[in-house]
Amino acid sequence: MKITHEQIDEIINDFENCPVDENTPPLPFNIETLQENFNAQINPLLDKTFELGELDEETLQLLRQLLLIDEYQIYSADDMEFFFNIFGDTIGLFGIKKPDENFKILRLCFTVPDNSREARTLDFVFYAFTKIFFPEGDSVEFINALKANPSVTRGGVIFSLVQKDNLLTVTALAE
C-alpha cells in the first residue's frame, strides 16, 4: 500500500510540532554522512543478494536507483531544514535539523507491505537504517526488540515504533 499525500502531510506536521531546540542533542549524522553511511550499507547488501543469484542484473540496477539516497529533497522553514527521501512509494526517510548541523530527529516511515516485492524493499531499507546506527550490531535482533517493545534505547539513541492505520514510523532521537 502506498504512502498517501495525506500521510506525508501528517509526517511533516508532526515534525513542525516537535519540540526541537538548541538543547535537543543531535544524532551522529548530517545529510552527507547519512547519505554516505546509508548507501555504504545498501550497496554491499544488493551485491551479496545479486551474487547469491536472487537478483538479475536489471533488477539489481533498478534497486540501486530505488534504494540509494541520491536525489533527496530539503525544505527550509523557521531556521530548520526538513529532509526527505522516498524509496518507491511505500517507504520514506525523513529528518529535521538546523542548517549546517546534524539531524535532531530521523524517521523511517513505511506502510505495511502488500506483496513480497514491497516486503523485500522494506527489508533492505530497514536493514540499512539499522546498520547506520549499529554497523556491527545484529539488525534482526534490534528489529525483534523494537517489535516487542515500542521504545528501545541503544547506543545513546532512543528508537520508538508507532503505527497509525497502515503507516508505521520508527523515530530515532539522541538520548
Side-chain angles (χ1 to χ4, degrees), residues 8-75:
I8 291 174
D9 290 343
E10 194 172 310
I11 293 165
I12 293 168
N13 287 336
D14 271 355
F15 272 114
E16 290 174 354
N17 296 320
C18 284
V20 175
D21 60 25
E22 294 77 33
N23 298 323
T24 304
L27 292 166
F29 310 105
N30 60 29
I31 292 172
E32 293 77 24
T33 56
L34 173 69
Q35 179 182 26
E36 180 181 311
N37 291 342
F38 188 91
N39 291 350
Q41 296 300 325
I42 285 290
N43 275 317
L45 183 60
L46 291 175
D47 291 341
K48 182 178 179 182
T49 306
F50 176 72
E51 290 168 11
L52 291 172
E54 296 176 23
L55 301 173
D56 59 32
E57 183 67 39
E58 182 179 344
T59 304
L60 175 66
Q61 295 311 315
L62 288 171
L63 283 172
R64 282 197 206 288
Q65 289 174 350
L66 176 67
L67 299 178
L68 293 174
I69 296 177
D70 188 25
E71 296 182 19
Y72 54 84
Q73 295 185 13
I74 299 174
Y75 294 99

Side-chain angles (χ1 to χ4, degrees), residues 114-132:
D114 282 336
N115 55 51
S116 61
R117 181 188 56 79
E118 287 179 5
R120 187 170 206 181
T121 302
L122 177 59
D123 287 345
F124 286 139
V125 173
F126 210 107
Y127 173 87
F129 179 76
T130 303
K131 287 296 196 176
I132 63 172

Side-chain angles (χ1 to χ4, degrees), residues 44-158:
L45 183 60
L46 291 175
D47 291 341
K48 182 178 179 182
T49 306
F50 176 72
E51 290 168 11
L52 291 172
E54 296 176 23
L55 301 173
D56 59 32
E57 183 67 39
E58 182 179 344
T59 304
L60 175 66
Q61 295 311 315
L62 288 171
L63 283 172
R64 282 197 206 288
Q65 289 174 350
L66 176 67
L67 299 178
L68 293 174
I69 296 177
D70 188 25
E71 296 182 19
Y72 54 84
Q73 295 185 13
I74 299 174
Y75 294 99
S76 298
D78 300 327
D79 194 34
M80 295 300 283
E81 291 181 341
F82 178 73
F83 161 93
F84 71 93
N85 190 83
I86 304 295
F87 305 95
D89 51 11
T90 61
I91 308 166
L93 183 58
F94 302 85
I96 191 166
K97 62 187 253 352
K98 289 193 164 282
D100 302 320
E101 292 185 12
N102 285 1
F103 286 102
K104 300 284 186 165
I105 301 171
L106 278 176
R107 286 191 172 137
L108 180 64
C109 302
F110 53 95
T111 57
V112 176
D114 282 336
N115 55 51
S116 61
R117 181 188 56 79
E118 287 179 5
R120 187 170 206 181
T121 302
L122 177 59
D123 287 345
F124 286 139
V125 173
F126 210 107
Y127 173 87
F129 179 76
T130 303
K131 287 296 196 176
I132 63 172
F133 290 99
F134 319 111
E136 304 303 320
D138 182 347
S139 62
V140 173
E141 184 273 328
F142 171 73
I143 291 166
N144 288 337
L146 195 56
K147 286 178 183 176
N149 182 354
S151 183
V152 174
T153 301
R154 296 274 169 87
V157 179
I158 303 166

